[in-house]
Amino acid sequence: AQRVTQPEKLLSVFKGAPVELKCNYSYSGSPELFWYVQYSRQRLQLLLRHISRESIKGFTADLNKGETSFHLKKPFAQEEDSAMYYCALSNTGKLIFGQGTTLQVKP
Amino acid sequence: DAGVTQSPTHLIKTRGQHVTLRCSPISGHKSVSWYQQVLGQGPQFIFQYYEKEERGRGNFPDRFSARQFPNYSSELNVNALLLGDSALYLCASSHGGTGGYSYEQYFGPGTRLTVT
């Protein structure tokens, strides 16, 4: 079955600390993976996708097919990074989301 | 462009009633997808339409139906509402392209449905 797992519901770090939001997936085939972010009172928006290999707002994510993971990382967290983060897998156009991780960056 | 728009923003319905939710995609986008987001969970895929044809259907009962119009806007209909249908319903649009696969999806603000 195709599934996305985000094991942490809440991740709380201090400003300037490194951040790693975990995401594991199960998918038979070549997955296309995304990270979406939802800031307070804003709509869900794409943060990054693995095929573009970009760094957006200082965040990066590497697809590890051996470990079936797509963890989101940022070396130095900022208070404005506080938001809900969803890992998602694309299966012929439909998105399969994880349950989401709330990132709380404390001053 | 205002982005993806959805109406209404909120609504309250009683068990057994019917509801219609509406979505207007970004201009030029031909694909619309619907997702249900229950509190505390990630969005769950309900339907995808591309060029007015159903391209995918999630694991939802037949009480859920949708359609896409010639102007690419879309409606989601839910019949015989249950308490468990209370959720945020999200619409997302994308270019679609060939087969409507794996293009970036842009989400609307959602419609908050409460069933009492």
Side-chain angles (χ1 to χ4, degrees), chain A residues 7-80:
Chain A
E8 303 141 328
K9 282 205 134 177
L10 172 66
L11 182 64
S12 187
V13 301
F14 285 101
K15 177 182 170 182
V19 170
E20 183 179 48
L21 300 167
K22 290 184 168 51
C23 171
N24 289 90
Y25 67 90
S26 62
Y27 184 72
S28 53
S30 294
E32 189 166 1
L33 287 150
F34 305 83
W35 277 98
Y36 279 81
V37 61
Q38 188 166 30
Y39 300 102
S40 179
R41 298 191 194 86
Q42 294 186 28
R43 59 185 69 187
L44 198 59
Q45 58 186 286
L46 179 67
L47 180 62
L48 55 81
R49 57 195 305 176
H50 88 274
I51 59 171
S52 63
R53 302 186 66 80
E54 289 177 298
S55 171
I56 306 293
K57 299 185 179 182
F59 285 98
T60 59
D62 289 318
L63 177 60
N64 185 323
K65 291 186 179 180
E67 295 182 358
T68 61
S69 69
F70 187 56
H71 302 329
L72 183 68
K73 300 177 183 179
K74 185 170 183 176
F76 307 104
Q78 303 298 315
E79 287 182 69
E80 55 265 30

Side-chain angles (χ1 to χ4, degrees), chain A residues 32 43 49 86 90 93 95, chain B residues 4 35 37 42 102 104-105 107:
Chain A
E32 189 166 1
R43 59 185 69 187
R49 57 195 305 176
Y86 293 98
S90 177
L95 291 171
Chain B
V4 177
Y35 294 83
Q37 187 172 21
S102 300
E104 178 175 346
Q105 296 193 24
F107 283 82

